[in-house]
Amino acid sequence: MLELSHRASLVEPFHAMDVFAAANRARQAGVDVISLAVGQPADPAPQGVRDAAMKKSAEGLVSYTNALGLDVLRQAIAEHYKDHYGVDVSASRIAVTSGSSAGFNLAFLSMFDHGDRVAITRPGYPAYRNILSVLGLEVEEISTAETGYLTADSLREVHARKPLKGLLFASPANPTGASMPAEALQELVAVAADLGIALISDEIYHRLNFARPDATAVAFSDDVVVINSFSKYYCMTGWRIGWMVLPERLVRPVERVAQSLYISASEISQIAAVEAFKCTEELDAIRFRYQQSRELLMDALPKLNLPLLAPMDGAFYAYCDVSAYSEDSQAFAKTMLEETGVAASTGVDFDPIDGHKSLRFSYCQRPERVAEAIERMKNWLKAG
């Protein structure tokens, strides 16, 4: 019998996708499921994006591109940094990737060697931990329970115990939605530089920050790596298109690795993504619906005795404590789906220590569906 590699055995299942699959099975059985489990916009990509893709598809020939991406898209991304953040970024420092997932792989492979110690936050996106582990890197998880986001003091403390080679963090964060104030981000960037820690800033939920303006790590240093994506604000999850902002010294190494791993991101998706920056009015209307759904959940969850574990600053998530009802969030979520048709992600994906007591609700759904989910949960918890 063929044996799994030791590295493959280190990868934990992504339980949120198991919930997603269970919700789909329930739908097929005729259940009216309201999925608040997966961080996927309920709206399609903007019309201009779809039109550009259709036009290119009609031409018939879809080709490879340069590994770093089409010049027109790299330039559009660079202009976005000037328009949105007031930061000058050269298009030569932009690498277009097959979604943010490819960006993480390229960053890890280009920046770290086998056995290097890299910190992530807890709770945090499980793919960080899994990819780092399968690449043979040592993972250190830093709790953000006290403030909701990573602080420079926490970084100093962890590094003092055993030196770190790198740090990956997100703001706004998945699963909590908590975001880092600009001054805290600036301090974190400065401290990491002083300690010789390489920084990767996951900014895929930018433009979905409801508590404060977006702050990019690139504003405070040219020596950080930023990863972003068209999946979330731009409603392009399945298009698999993202980008990296790189220090000049990493551009060629990332390009070399990308040439072998991916050749290039999809040409159709790249051409379509150029148009995404022109669709702000359409996308901000969707963002406004997220904001309405956010307010519904922010008000309802504490009243349902599901207190928030972090501020709902941004992204489209609410991370809450279910310990008043259960110490097994997986069982709680399974029963809730079966008895109410409401799906949520279990905390065990995001926090291997305390996740058995937490759930993540995604509010990508339209406000009326979120309101219906809240009503179902209210009746269910009351009945129980």
Side-chain angles (χ1 to χ4, degrees), residues 133-339:
S133 296
V134 84
L135 291 177
L137 299 165
E138 182 183 344
V139 181
E140 174 68 31
E141 296 189 273
I142 305 176
S143 173
T144 59
E146 188 173 335
T147 59
Y149 57 85
L150 183 65
T151 65
D153 287 342
S154 296
L155 182 62
R156 285 192 192 96
E157 180 184 335
V158 170
H159 185 74
R161 290 201 303 266
K162 186 178 179 182
L164 296 166
K165 181 66 179 293
L167 168 67
L168 166 60
F169 64 96
S171 177
N174 179 10
T176 64
S179 68
M180 190 181 298
E183 58 273 16
L185 176 59
Q186 184 173 16
E187 183 183 10
L188 185 70
V189 170
V191 168
D194 289 343
L195 298 175
I197 300 170
L199 277 193
I200 304 171
S201 178
D202 176 353
E203 300 180 0
I204 70 172
Y205 292 102
H206 277 210
R207 303 190 77 170
L208 293 174
N209 196 334
F210 305 105
R212 54 181 60 90
D214 291 327
T216 177
V218 174
F220 306 117
S221 173
D222 290 335
D223 204 37
V224 299
V225 171
V226 164
I227 294 176
N228 209 322
S229 170
F230 289 93
S231 290
K232 307 302 182 179
Y233 170 79
Y234 300 96
C235 299
M236 295 177 67
T237 52
W239 299 71
R240 308 313 303 137
I241 188 76
W243 74 84
M244 308 171 75
V245 182
L246 299 164
E248 290 286 359
R249 61 187 171 79
L250 275 181
V251 172
R252 183 56 177 159
V254 164
E255 182 179 24
R256 291 199 306 264
V257 176
Q259 287 168 340
S260 293
L261 279 183
Y262 306 108
I263 301 182
S264 69
S266 158
E267 186 187 27
I268 284 183
S269 293
Q270 290 189 60
I271 289 168
V274 174
E275 302 303 311
F277 293 115
K278 306 172 187 176
C279 300
T280 297
E281 183 176 353
E282 186 177 345
L283 292 167
D284 276 351
I286 297 169
R287 183 185 188 276
F288 179 68
R289 292 198 290 272
Y290 296 154
Q291 192 165 1
Q292 291 177 302
S293 296
R294 169 181 177 262
E295 290 168 0
L296 289 170
L297 276 179
M298 193 159 47
D299 176 66
L301 290 174
K303 293 177 181 177
L304 295 175
N305 208 12
L306 297 170
L308 296 172
L309 291 168
M312 291 173 61
D313 295 333
F316 26 55
Y317 303 122
Y319 195 59
C320 65
D321 183 353
V322 300
S323 59
Y325 301 102
S326 175
E327 292 286 324
D328 184 345
S329 60
Q330 287 181 282
F332 182 86
K334 181 175 184 292
T335 304
M336 183 171 71
L337 175 59
E338 291 171 350
E339 297 185 2

Side-chain angles (χ1 to χ4, degrees), residues 18 43 83 116 230 254 290 322 364:
D18 293 340
D43 290 270
D83 295 341
D116 281 348
F230 289 93
V254 164
Y290 296 154
V322 300
C364 298

